[in-house]
Amino acid sequence: MTEAASRLPASRLGGPDVRTVTKTDLGLRRRYAAERRFRAYGVAAVSIAICFLLVLFGSIVGKGYTAFQQTRITMMVDFEPSIIAPDGDRSPAAVMSGNSFRFDDLIAAALQKTLEIDPSDEDGLYDALDLLSKGSGPMLRSMIANDPSLIGTKRTVEFYATGDVDAFIKGTIRADVPESQRLIKDKHIVLIDKLKSEGALRLAFNTGLFTNGASTRPETAGVGVALVGSLYMMLVVLVLSLPLGVAGSIYLEEFAPKNRWTDVIEVNINNLAAVPSIVYGLLGLAVFINFAHLPRSASLVGGLVLTLTTLPTIIITTRAALKAVPPSIREAGLGVGASKMQTVFHHVLPLAMPGVLTGTIIGLAHALGETAPLLMIGMKAFIVEYPGTPFDPATALPTQIYMWATEPERAFSERTSAAIIILLAFLLAMNSIAIILRRAFERRW
């Protein structure tokens, strides 16, 4: 283009109309602006969700991490034979029977020596005993029954402090609050300071939180029974839901004729996935307990109810995994002379297994967090002993959290948050396994 021609307007050079170009530019700007707004809305929504999630996790962890430590009081106990076995019988049965207050006498004697309390000062002794958990006597009796050789010896024993003392040591109960508004009195604070100065009081990892069962005393309450009950339930759910769900999915996806009946079944399966879980609890109460007379509060019943809850999820995800297998795999199998069943079980199903396993684990993780159906079948019972089989009474982690959340004591509040942390850890572990399995067996087409 010459210099003279470059000075002419575009319309005289035969170029695009100036008015048309401007409209096109404005339309592009609007579309780009709409795209930027959409991205901004998406980023804002994700950011808000992450903020809420962080606040939720921060609140739970902030309230519950202290429960993983427990205040212990260490004392030298004299296992005096004349008190433990006055008749000379040192068998575990004899230790567990008879007057249970004789073990409190051992604890009182140890406490008197530790705090150098005058034997004639009964009020001082009672004040000191208020620092120890009421479960100290039964704990000492079980210890001696499990190891009768302790009788006649002197051993160092760690006892649980009460929930109020534990809260005071952790700073939940503050010393600068007026005594009338404080659960720990001044005389108890003096005794606590004395125990600290002698090295007899310390914070230790709370193993009882994972091994103990239900208890009315927060310092001796744990989720051990709930963990075993949840494990039994998950085993029942896995054994029942995986084969039933996969078999039903294979039939509906690969073999069932496409007619009105199969359409009705598919629609109902999709609707069942959206049914509130408490409805399954009512169904389990009516069928498994009232009709079949299965034991109430048993892990078996809980597993059956959760199987009903999980089956629609497994069927839907398994069918999606089967659909994702390319049709060429089926055509190739049939083309080399394999039957329909051989093609499905030898080629299609193995390729769909990553999706099947992922859906199953996600379904199990969803079932592990269910609470409402378990409440309906009585799995909120106060269970202290570990269940030996799925037929024994047990409880589950969600119902244990529910029971602790309704307790008025302050120490149960932190245990509620700690149990939620344990449950979340289980869920995260199961989801991590699902991700690992999917990546390990994933095939790209």
Side-chain angles (χ1 to χ4, degrees):
M1 182 183 294
T2 61
E3 182 178 354
S6 64
R7 295 174 184 170
L8 295 175
S11 57
R12 296 185 60 183
L13 291 174
D17 184 70
V18 175
R19 189 173 181 182
T20 305
V21 171
T22 304
K23 281 184 176 180
T24 304
D25 291 343
L26 288 174
L28 286 173
R29 288 197 200 101
R30 290 195 191 98
R31 289 200 294 273
Y32 291 151
E35 184 178 341
R36 285 195 294 271
R37 284 198 300 274
F38 181 77
R39 289 182 179 177
Y41 293 152
V43 171
V46 173
S47 301
I48 292 172
I50 290 175
C51 288
F52 277 112
L53 192 63
L54 291 176
V55 170
L56 175 64
F57 281 142
S59 173
I60 292 173
V61 174
K63 292 179 180 176
Y65 80 94
T66 53
F68 292 93
Q69 284 191 317
Q70 181 72 30
T71 303
R72 309 283 183 87
I73 297 177
T74 306
M75 295 186 296
M76 180 65 73
V77 178
D78 186 359
F79 294 90
E80 178 60 41
S82 60
I83 298 177
I84 300 171
D87 55 356
D89 187 358
R90 301 186 178 188
S91 65
V95 171
M96 294 300 292
S97 62
N99 183 13
S100 61
F101 292 106
R102 63 188 192 275
F103 302 100
D104 294 335
D105 294 338
L106 295 178
I107 296 172
L111 202 55
Q112 280 179 333
K113 290 181 181 177
T114 304
L115 291 173
E116 299 177 349
I117 300 173
D118 188 344
S120 61
D121 186 5
E122 293 186 356
D123 292 338
L125 179 59
Y126 288 137
D127 291 337
L129 287 172
D130 288 340
L131 303 179
L132 292 174
S133 169
K134 301 299 180 187
S136 299
M139 186 198 77
L140 193 63
R141 181 174 60 181
S142 300
M143 181 187 299
I144 298 172
N146 293 330
D147 186 9
S149 64
L150 290 173
I151 300 175
T153 64
K154 292 182 179 180
R155 297 288 179 88
T156 300
V157 181
E158 282 193 334
F159 296 94
Y160 287 116
T162 61
D164 292 336
V165 173
D166 185 56
F168 178 77
I169 297 298
K170 293 174 180 173
T172 308
I173 298 176
R174 297 175 56 184
D176 55 356
V177 176
E179 185 181 9
S180 59
Q181 302 174 11
R182 199 185 329 121
L183 294 174
I184 295 291
K185 305 302 177 188
D186 289 340
K187 55 188 178 183
H188 294 141
I189 294 177
V190 173
L191 294 174
I192 289 171
D193 291 339
K194 190 171 183 180
L195 286 171
K196 278 184 180 178
S197 63
E198 295 179 2
L201 188 146
R202 69 185 182 94
L203 277 172
F205 183 72
N206 189 9
T207 55
L209 180 65
F210 299 92
T211 58
N212 293 341
S215 175
T216 56
R217 307 177 190 94
E219 63 272 9
T220 55
V223 296
V225 175
L227 285 173
V228 176
S230 296
L231 179 63
Y232 278 140
M233 283 196 308
M234 290 301 103
L235 287 176
V236 173
V237 175
L238 181 64
V239 168
L240 293 178
S241 63
L242 181 59
L244 289 177
V246 173
S249 304
I250 291 174
Y251 175 74
L252 290 174
E253 190 62 33
E254 302 290 342
F255 296 99
K258 303 300 178 185
N259 54 32
R260 181 179 300 176
W261 291 108
T262 53
D263 291 341
V264 169
I265 292 173
E266 290 179 8
V267 169
N268 278 282
I269 289 173
N270 293 331
N271 290 335
L272 284 173
V275 170
S277 57
I278 195 169
V279 176
Y280 292 103
L282 291 170
L283 179 65
L285 177 65
V287 175
F288 300 128
I289 294 179
N290 294 339
F291 178 75
H293 300 293
L294 291 175
R296 193 180 182 88
S297 305
S299 302
L300 176 65
V301 180
L304 290 173
V305 173
L306 294 180
T307 299
L308 298 177
T309 311
T310 311
L311 263 178
T313 304
I314 293 179
I315 291 175
I316 292 171
T317 54
T318 301
R319 292 192 65 187
L322 292 172
K323 281 181 183 176
V325 177
S328 57
I329 300 296
R330 296 175 179 82
E331 295 167 359
L334 296 174
V336 296
S339 65
K340 177 76 172 178
M341 184 170 291
Q342 287 176 324
T343 303
V344 170
F345 284 95
H346 294 178
H347 302 282
V348 178
L349 184 60
L351 293 174
M353 280 309 290
V356 175
L357 293 176
T358 302
T360 302
I361 293 175
I362 290 175
L364 291 176
H366 176 70
L368 181 63
E370 287 289 353
T371 307
L374 302 181
L375 294 178
M376 297 305 300
I377 59 173
M379 292 209 63
K380 61 174 181 176
F382 190 88
I383 308 296
V384 178
E385 301 294 334
Y386 278 84
T389 67
F391 294 92
D392 295 334
T395 185
L397 269 176
T399 52
Q400 186 69 72
I401 293 170
Y402 172 81
M403 288 191 290
W404 282 354
T406 58
E407 294 289 346
E409 286 88 348
R410 184 194 301 266
F412 274 115
S413 176
E414 68 172 11
R415 273 160 178 74
T416 302
S417 299
I420 293 173
I421 294 173
I422 295 172
L423 179 60
L424 289 175
F426 266 97
L427 295 175
L428 288 175
M430 295 183 74
N431 281 283
S432 300
I433 292 172
I435 293 172
I436 292 171
L437 288 176
R438 187 174 65 240
R439 290 189 175 180
F441 298 102
E442 190 175 23
R443 298 287 185 272
R444 296 184 182 277
W445 310 102

